[in-house]
Structure formats: C-alpha cells, structure tokens
Amino acid sequence: MKSIRSIIVCGLLPLALLAGSVHAQGIGRSGTYTMPPNWGMMMDKLTPEQRTQAIGIQEKMMQMEMDYQDTMAQMEMKHAHEMMQMQAQLLDLFKGH
C-alpha cells in the first residue's frame, strides 16, 4: 500500500512541477500575460507566416492594454472630479449651520 502511494506521488510530482512552471511563464501575479524569458528562441522556431501572426497578436494585446489603461485613467479622473464637486456641495451645505 505504501509503495503504491509513493509510485503515485512520484508520478504526479513532475506533472505538478510542469503545470507550475507553465503557469509562471505565461501569467503574471496580477493575471496579465507576461512574455516568457525564451521568447526569442520560441520565435525562431516559427515559420515567417506564424512569426508575423504572433507579432500581430502581440501588437493587438499591447494596444488593448494601452486602451484599458487610458480608459481607467479617464474614469479615475472623472470619479475624482465628481467626488470633489460633491464634497464642495456638502461643505456649502454645512456652512449654513
């Protein structure tokens, strides 16, 4: 019974390590995509058509990230402005008392 358990553990350990390393290479802590460290070597293995496609996808991803950051910055500025307006209204309201 103990030997069967050790065989199973020995068989699953490499899979667990592999899954952990794949996750660590592709996804960052915040959940965003990060480029693997061997990106250049991976690109060398692709055909020119696949390389062009990979670069196009990467450019789209960067554009989406920039659009997202821009939208978030605009929303934060709008929120801050509206909050200041409401605080000023409250201050005006309390000045009369």
Side-chain angles (χ1 to χ4, degrees):
M1 184 69 168
K2 204 172 195 180
S3 64
I4 293 173
R5 190 180 313 160
S6 65
I7 290 172
I8 291 173
V9 169
C10 289
L12 292 178
L13 185 63
L15 292 176
L17 293 174
L18 179 65
S21 70
V22 168
H23 176 73
Q25 286 180 5
I27 306 296
R29 288 181 188 257
S30 64
T32 58
Y33 177 79
T34 56
M35 237 189 270
N38 54 352
W39 177 255
M41 290 173 50
M42 291 170 56
M43 288 291 283
D44 291 341
K45 295 179 181 179
L46 298 177
T47 64
E49 181 181 301
Q50 290 173 326
R51 192 174 301 137
T52 303
Q53 188 178 8
I55 291 170
I57 292 169
Q58 186 179 14
E59 287 174 352
K60 286 180 187 177
M61 288 172 61
M62 287 191 301
Q63 183 63 43
M64 283 183 68
E65 183 65 27
M66 288 189 313
D67 292 344
Y68 170 77
Q69 294 295 334
D70 185 44
T71 302
M72 290 301 294
Q74 288 177 2
M75 287 178 60
E76 288 174 358
M77 286 190 305
K78 181 181 175 187
H79 175 263
H81 179 70
E82 290 176 0
M83 289 297 285
M84 285 191 314
Q85 284 181 336
M86 287 188 276
Q87 287 174 349
Q89 289 173 356
L90 277 176
L91 186 60
D92 290 340
L93 184 67
F94 287 123
K95 278 184 184 177
H97 292 280

